[in-house]
Every structure is written in structure tokens, then in C-alpha cells.
Amino acid sequence: MRSDEAKCGKRQSPGRSLYNALGYTKEELDKPLIAVVSSYNEIVPGHMNLDKITEAVKLGIAMAGGTPVMFPAIAVCDGIAMGHVGMKYSLVTRDLIADSTECMMEAHRFDGMVCIPNCDKNVPGLLMAAARVNVPTIFVSGGPMLAGHVDGHKTSLSSLFEAVGAEAAGKITEEKLYEYECKACPTCGSCSGMYTANSMNCLTEAIGMGLGGNGTIPAVYSERIRLAKHAGMKIMELVKKDIKPRDIMTKEAFLNALTVDMALGCSTNSMLHLPAIAHECGIELDLSIANEMSARTPNLCHLAPAGPTYMEDLNEAGGVYAVMKELTKKNLLYTDLITCTGKTVAENIENAVNTNPEVIRTIDNPYSEVGGIAVLKGNIAPDTCVVKRSAVVPEMLVHSGPARVFDCEEDAIDAIKGGKIVAGDVVVIRYEGPKGGPGMREMLNPTSAIAGMGLGSSVALITDGRFSGASRGASIGHVSPEAAVGGPIALVEEGDIIDIDIPANTINVRVSDEELSSRKAKWTPKDPGELKGYLKRYRSLVTSGNRGAVLELPKDLQ
């Protein structure tokens, strides 16, 4: 056992004395030591129930003959961090989580790991750590929130963000806004639509690192506790069989995840996280393949914010496995891959049933013949940008309009809520990329303000920042190269006409190459202001959005 390095032999007598100080018995130390990485905290609704999940996992490990040892991982609530300086610290935690988990795993030589995440950066950060450490690992998340209800309709956090815009436009009263505030988020769990947290939790199933139901069983269901116990038991099987993350997360497994992503209509943030996780596996996941995969993968689900269904509905309809079963009807998945169940994809989904063909459309009756995400290129984004196509209304799939240019999110929000943005405009928010932010803030406030003010079918927004999975409309993010490194988005001027053609995967500004070159010669980067601590280090190491915003040493230090 790997843990023998820390607990066996005369040389490790001092170490054993410290295990004694922790209260471990000889009988416990004779068993495999399994790390239980718990993301429990009291500031994230998706994590407030993880203490119960943690105890269930520990019980499952002990029942199956292992010794569970818990240590924590941090997590940020993007909804609480949204719209202020706190959002600069959201994406950056993905790497902090990966780094700190790697340190704990390697320092203490655990034999296996159960990861208990739930929200946005927590899931990919722990998947990155699992790939690095490469000991048997399984994921069990905290589960999604139940939808809220207002006026007889299901609601979620995105409903509330849009209600803020609607109140600003005089479409609803302040009292109605307060009602949304009180009812939109009724339980613990990750926010109830197909936002980033739920996208990534669903993709743990698709990529083979989570048990069936991990992405969809609601947080408040006792079935979630039973799943956690089974995950605790299953890790002991993975340790015995020595099935490791890199055995599971192969190139083909990432292609499966991308395919399921397209079918579900996941958050565009998955286009940041999947390449970053693949990078840790030694696999370069070039986003240029995304459109090819989208072209052959139908979009089967329209969960909020794209449609009126929620995670609880997807769960009742058969969950991720039922979606995967539909995809196999056109041979769109690699089904012979090993997974954390100890079985293949084919064996996992063999008995899956789609019980609601409106929540999960059949492969022959999709919402769209193409997938939920599109990757665009053009003279604004030579290295790509990303849009959640399934959440774009048909009339905005092709759009041309004048650029309304802002060098930060706050200025754009003031203009939108001040009535300065009109139908036809293309809002450009730049210097919000991985380096420019730094931290690549999510733009849920401006997209929600646009939707709430009734401009969602006539105004586009493009940014080198990113979007919450709760954003809808023609919201185009991850523009690469970003403005802070002199990408063409930095050269766009007020009034330039921007042409967006999502079906053709193109985005361009009607400015000649010669004019862009002239503007580039006069360009000076925006001063990022005084930076300190982790953000300063992060800015110096982070790469572009099209590479997953992974951290990399400067070339002269590699």
C-alpha cells in the first residue's frame, strides 16, 4: 500500500506516534487509508449539506474495509461573489483546490481518494488533482437544489438575476422582486438549472469518475446519502483493482464528456474546465474539435436557463445515463471504456430508461440537430470564443450591430440599466480575461440585465471574460487572445459593426486588416491596477481562455 511509506517500519515510528495522537488504532492503520476530501463550508448553499455526505462516505469506506481520513477543500459561491471584486477570486480557486489537494495527498501518501465537491470550480479543481496524483479516486457530489416556485412557475437563481433587470426596467414591482428573492433558491444544493456546477457534476458521470445519479439526484433526497455510502464502498473496489483516474480519463473519455456536454446543453465554462482537466492527464484537448462534435451531436435537453425544466426533472426522466443511452442509438459514444463503477460505459447504461421524452428528447426528435455549444472564430477571436447555442433565441443566431465598448463589467451594467443600450447593439466587455481581470469574471449581471429588460432577442454581448451557466442569449465569451495581451478585441472601437454568425461559427468586426494593424501600433494595455497576493501570481502564470486558463511558467523558466 502507498500509505505504508508513512506508517510502516522502524523509521516511521515517529509518524505512527502522531497517528496515535490522532486516535487511530493499529487495526485502522493496517487497512488502506482513504482520503475523504470534503468541500463542506457554511457560505456556499451547495456545500452546506456536505457534512452529511462526508459522514456517509466515511461509513461506506469503513464498511468495505478501509480507514477514512477527512481533510477539507475550499469552495467559492459564484452567486455571492458575482458583480463585485469577489468574482476575480472564483476561477482562480480551481488551481488552489488542485494544488492544495495534491499537496495533502502526496504528503500523507493516501491509498485512495473520495472527492466531495459540488459547486463550480470545486469539481474541476478536484478532477485536476485526481489526474495529478493518480491514485484510485471516485467523486460524489452534494447534488442540485430543488427549483423554487413563483406564480405557479418553477424558478431558479437565473430567474432572480433577470428579475433585477426587469425591476430596473419597470416591468415588475419591487415587491415582486423581493418575492423572487425569497423563493428562487428554496433548498441547499447547487443552483437548480444546467449551470456550471450541475454541468460539471453531470460530466463526472459522462467521463466515468462519478456513479450514476451523481449529477442529478437532488441534494435533499435521502437517495443522495445512499449514493455517498455506495461511493465509499466502491473506492475500496477501485483500490483493490488499482483502477486509477488516468485509466478512466482517457482521450476517448473526454470525447464522451464533450458529446454529453453537447446533448445536455451544458455551461460554456465546461469549455474551460475540460481542457484544463485533460491537460493534467497529459492530453491536449483542442477546442477546434468541438464544432465537429456539435455537428454530429443533437441537443436533447433544454434545462434552465435554456428552457423550463430543471435538474430535478432531468433526474426523474432518467438522468445522465438516460441521455447517454439515447446517444448510443447513433453510436455517438465510446462504450467500452472502464469507469469508476469497475464496469464499462456500456454496462453502466445498459438498463437506463428515458421516462420523459420532453425533458430528454429522443435521438430522433431533438431540440436541435446540433449540439448545445458552438466555438466561433474570426478577426475578433482568432484563437476562438464560445457560446451556449442552445440558450440563444433563433433570431439572434445571426446578428450584426454596432459595438458598444466597455473596459470593465461595471461600466457595461451602468449603461444597460441606464437605458443606453438599445436593440441591435453588440455590447463588448473587455479586459476581463484570465490576465486582464485578472480571474476571468463571469458576466451574469449584464446578461441578466439585458434579458430582464427585454433585450435578450435583440442585443448580443461578447467578452474575453466568461459567463455563468445561468446566462442565456447571444452571450459569447472566452474571446482569445484577450485584450490584456493585445488581442483584437482590444482594438474594437465604439460603433464598429460586428457580425455574428453562430451557425457558421464566425465572429468578425467590419474593419480591414490594415486598420486593425494601425490600431494595434497605437495600442497600450490597460493598467490592471495594484495587484497583490494570489491574484498577482495568478496573472503572471495564467494562459488564455482557449487553453482552459491553465497555469504555466513563463517560457524562460520552463
Side-chain angles (χ1 to χ4, degrees):
M1 291 188 294
R2 209 173 88 121
S3 61
D4 288 349
E5 298 173 33
K7 66 185 183 184
C8 292
K10 293 180 180 178
R11 191 169 64 177
Q12 292 306 322
S13 181
R16 286 194 298 278
S17 73
L18 295 171
Y19 282 115
N20 291 339
L22 287 162
Y24 288 106
T25 65
K26 181 181 183 302
E27 291 79 5
E28 287 174 299
L29 295 179
D30 286 341
K31 298 174 182 178
L33 298 186
I34 307 299
V36 179
V37 188
S38 174
S39 304
Y40 168 75
N41 66 38
E42 296 181 342
I43 191 61
V44 184
H47 292 235
M48 63 182 286
N49 64 319
L50 296 191
D51 54 343
K52 296 179 175 61
I53 301 294
T54 300
E55 289 306 312
V57 166
K58 291 169 67 176
L59 182 58
I61 291 168
M63 288 168 61
T67 296
V69 184
M70 190 279 290
F71 66 81
I74 63 168
V76 163
C77 178
D78 278 20
I80 294 174
M82 193 75 66
H84 52 85
V85 69
M87 182 46 70
K88 293 178 184 285
Y89 287 88
S90 172
L91 178 62
V92 305
T93 65
R94 185 186 72 182
D95 296 273
L96 277 174
I97 292 162
D99 292 348
S100 58
T101 303
E102 174 195 358
C103 290
M104 290 293 288
M105 287 298 296
E106 296 292 21
H108 300 98
R109 313 307 292 157
F110 290 106
D111 300 301
M113 178 166 65
V114 181
C115 293
I116 308 176
N118 211 25
C119 290
D120 295 21
K121 313 311 165 303
N122 204 235
V123 182
L126 288 173
L127 282 167
M128 290 163 68
R132 282 186 205 170
V133 178
N134 203 35
V135 301
T137 301
I138 194 168
F139 276 63
V140 56
S141 302
M145 185 183 290
L146 295 177
H149 292 83
V150 175
D151 297 332
H153 299 287
K154 288 184 177 181
T155 60
S156 62
L157 185 65
S158 59
S159 310
L160 179 52
F161 272 96
E162 292 183 14
V164 172
E167 193 274 337
K171 294 178 178 291
I172 63 171
T173 64
E174 188 174 338
E175 289 74 22
K176 179 59 71 174
L177 176 61
Y178 182 67
E179 183 181 356
Y180 272 95
E181 181 180 326
C182 293
K183 295 180 178 179
C185 299
T187 70
C188 64
S190 48
C191 296
S192 55
M194 187 54 78
Y195 311 151
T196 305
N198 291 326
S199 295
M200 295 308 301
N201 282 325
C202 286
L203 294 183
T204 63
E205 294 187 52
I207 209 167
M209 291 295 291
L211 298 178
N214 186 52
T216 60
I217 297 170
V220 296
Y221 284 15
S222 296
E223 186 181 359
R224 175 65 57 178
I225 301 295
R226 297 197 298 273
L227 183 77
K229 291 177 182 175
H230 281 129
M233 290 184 262
K234 184 60 68 173
I235 190 61
M236 300 311 300
E237 180 184 330
L238 296 178
V239 168
K240 183 177 180 180
K241 293 180 178 179
D242 197 31
I243 299 175
K244 298 174 181 176
R246 291 192 199 175
D247 299 324
I248 295 169
M249 292 194 288
T250 61
K251 180 66 175 288
E252 292 75 17
F254 280 100
L255 296 179
N256 278 355
L258 275 172
T259 300
V260 174
D261 188 323
M262 298 294 176
L264 286 172
C266 288
S267 163
T268 52
N269 280 313
S270 63
M271 296 293 104
L272 275 179
H273 299 320
L274 287 175
I277 300 160
H279 180 74
E280 298 293 349
C281 292
I283 298 166
E284 292 307 311
L285 197 62
D286 187 344
L287 287 187
S288 63
I289 66 171
N291 289 332
E292 175 188 335
M293 300 189 70
S294 178
R296 65 186 180 89
T297 306
N299 177 224
L300 304 181
C301 299
H302 263 193
L303 281 81
T309 55
Y310 293 80
M311 295 304 297
E312 61 204 66
D313 303 310
L314 178 60
N315 186 64
E316 295 302 318
V320 176
Y321 278 7
V323 174
M324 294 174 72
K325 187 71 171 288
E326 288 290 341
L327 293 171
T328 61
K329 294 176 182 177
K330 288 193 175 179
N331 299 315
L332 295 176
L333 296 177
Y334 295 92
T335 59
D336 59 347
L337 309 180
I338 194 66
T339 71
C340 70
T341 65
K343 299 177 181 179
T344 65
V345 171
E347 291 172 311
N348 287 343
I349 66 176
E350 182 179 4
N351 297 317
V353 177
N354 178 1
T355 63
N356 189 334
E358 280 306 305
V359 175
I360 304 172
R361 291 284 185 92
T362 63
I363 199 77
D364 297 317
N365 182 37
Y367 282 101
S368 168
E369 292 291 344
V370 294
I373 288 179
V375 175
L376 315 184
K377 274 190 176 185
N379 66 355
I380 293 179
D383 291 341
T384 71
C385 55
V386 179
V387 62
K388 188 172 182 176
R389 178 181 6 212
S390 60
V392 179
V393 293
E395 55 267 37
M396 288 298 291
L397 290 171
V398 178
H399 179 77
S400 295
R404 306 299 308 281
V405 182
F406 305 93
D407 286 349
C408 68
E409 176 191 10
E410 288 82 358
D411 289 350
I413 293 172
D414 288 345
I416 295 165
K417 291 187 176 179
K420 297 177 181 178
I421 302 301
V422 299
D425 285 347
V426 178
V427 177
V428 177
I429 306 178
R430 61 193 181 191
Y431 294 102
E432 292 284 7
K435 286 185 181 293
M440 206 176 186
R441 289 195 289 178
E442 286 185 343
M443 302 290 146
L444 180 55
N445 275 324
T447 59
S448 297
I450 288 170
M453 297 182 77
L455 297 171
S457 61
S458 59
V459 170
L461 191 155
I462 69 173
T463 180
D464 52 8
R466 59 195 179 92
F467 294 106
S468 166
S471 291
R472 63 186 176 98
S475 304
I476 300 165
H478 310 188
V479 170
S480 303
E482 61 174 296
V485 299
I489 191 173
L491 310 177
V492 176
E493 295 182 355
E494 187 81 7
D496 286 346
I497 301 300
I498 294 176
D499 298 315
I500 300 165
D501 190 334
I502 294 172
N505 305 120
T506 62
I507 180 168
N508 290 286
V509 58
R510 289 187 207 169
V511 175
S512 68
D513 292 344
E514 292 77 15
E515 174 62 17
L516 287 175
S517 295
S518 175
R519 293 181 186 180
K520 181 66 179 285
K522 301 172 188 174
W523 172 79
T524 55
K526 177 187 173 186
D527 183 356
E530 183 182 357
L531 295 174
K532 59 185 179 180
Y534 189 64
L535 280 185
K536 186 174 183 178
R537 297 200 304 274
Y538 183 87
R539 188 178 194 272
S540 70
L541 299 175
V542 70
T543 61
S544 63
N546 69 301
R547 295 187 56 201
V550 297
L551 302 188
E552 189 172 84
L553 287 172
K555 285 189 171 20
D556 59 337
L557 296 178
Q558 290 179 13

